[in-house]
Amino acid sequence: MRVHVANHPLITHKLTLLRDKKTDSPTFRYLTEELVTLLAYEATRDIRTDKVTIETPVATTVGAHLSKPRPIVVPILRAGLGMLEGMTRLIPSAEVGFLGMVRDEKTLQATTYANRLPEDLTGRQCYILDPMLATGGTLIAATRFLLDKGATDITIICILAAPEGVAALEKALDGAPITVVMGALDERLNEHGYIVPGLGDAGDRLYGTV
Ligand code: URA
């Protein structure tokens, strides 16, 4: 498993605004989109392309087009939905699949309650969106789900991660073809499974407490 912590002053600046408890939901949503676009730039470094010859007004040149089949972006409901716009802004031609996972707040175990994904993901580049890599339970379950459908190239994009979550992913998915790209690696998890210093409950901050 490859882990990449995006290290850029603009990302740190936007993350600081996002973490601030005084930041309201509309601003939080907007900042999340901006951050994801920046993270997506890092996360798509190995996106597959094919050579293509085109004519500029001046000369013939060889460039690149995104390969087919198109990449698939999978936001984990609900908080991952807040990351979708920022991702598709960068890759508008990507397909979008949905995975609904819910975490039991007592056991911290993740279960699937919704799935709208192609049956066969063989050969597809997949980008999973989930803002918080906390215990890792949700992302382990989601990644296994995609691996079971044949995915061989999975990139997880998260805003923040805890070292415990990264270690859990590494242990559970040892040797799997996975890259994790994050805005920051925080200090730890607290006794409630929240990332410290973190930003609180990402879903609540994006959409309110319903
Ligand atoms: N999920 C969140 O939204 N926040 C955390 O800190 C941990 C998990």
Side-chain angles (χ1 to χ4, degrees):
M1 184 172 102
R2 288 193 300 166
V3 177
H4 181 81
V5 184
N7 191 9
H8 191 289
L10 266 181
I11 291 181
T12 311
H13 167 75
K14 289 178 194 296
L15 261 179
T16 305
L17 296 170
L18 200 73
R19 289 179 191 277
D20 192 331
K21 66 178 183 187
K22 293 197 294 298
T23 299
D24 61 18
S25 276
T27 313
F28 192 95
R29 282 199 288 272
Y30 185 73
L31 282 166
T32 301
E33 285 175 17
E34 285 189 332
L35 268 165
V36 172
T37 304
L38 294 172
L39 293 176
Y41 184 74
E42 286 294 336
T44 51
R45 232 165 236 293
D46 294 327
I47 199 164
R48 283 187 218 121
T49 57
D50 294 322
K51 275 190 184 161
V52 60
T53 304
I54 56 147
E55 303 287 333
T56 77
V58 181
T60 302
T61 189
V62 177
H65 276 174
L66 290 189
S67 300
K68 297 233 168 73
R70 292 179 287 161
I72 181 158
V73 176
V74 184
I76 308 294
L77 306 179
R78 124 183 112 131
L81 217 46
M83 300 171 73
L84 183 58
E85 183 68 29
M87 186 71 187
T88 51
R89 197 173 291 148
L90 203 69
I91 335 177
S93 61
E95 277 183 31
V96 180
F98 295 93
L99 207 47
M101 317 275 313
V102 66
R103 184 173 80 145
D104 184 304
E105 292 302 328
K106 287 207 181 77
T107 64
L108 303 180
Q109 291 298 309
T111 48
T112 309
Y113 69 86
N115 155 33
R116 186 81 187 181
L117 284 169
E119 265 318 302
D120 184 9
L121 290 173
T122 309
R124 302 292 294 269
Q125 282 188 300
C126 302
Y127 295 90
I128 301 179
L129 308 180
D130 193 3
M132 309 298 272
L133 169 49
T135 60
T138 301
L139 278 166
I140 290 168
T143 305
R144 283 203 176 121
F145 206 85
L146 300 195
L147 290 170
D148 288 347
K149 287 179 175 288
T152 49
D153 184 343
I154 299 175
T155 302
I156 295 166
I157 304 178
C158 48
I159 306 271
L160 295 181
E164 295 91 330
V166 174
L169 268 186
E170 232 154 11
K171 188 167 171 219
L173 303 166
D174 185 33
I178 301 165
T179 302
V180 186
V181 176
M182 63 192 73
L185 182 62
D186 273 9
E187 281 168 30
R188 61 182 171 88
L189 286 183
N190 70 12
E191 61 281 17
H192 305 292
Y194 278 87
I195 297 176
V196 180
L199 49 75
D201 187 301
D204 287 355
R205 296 206 58 196
L206 282 161
Y207 302 119
T209 50
V210 277

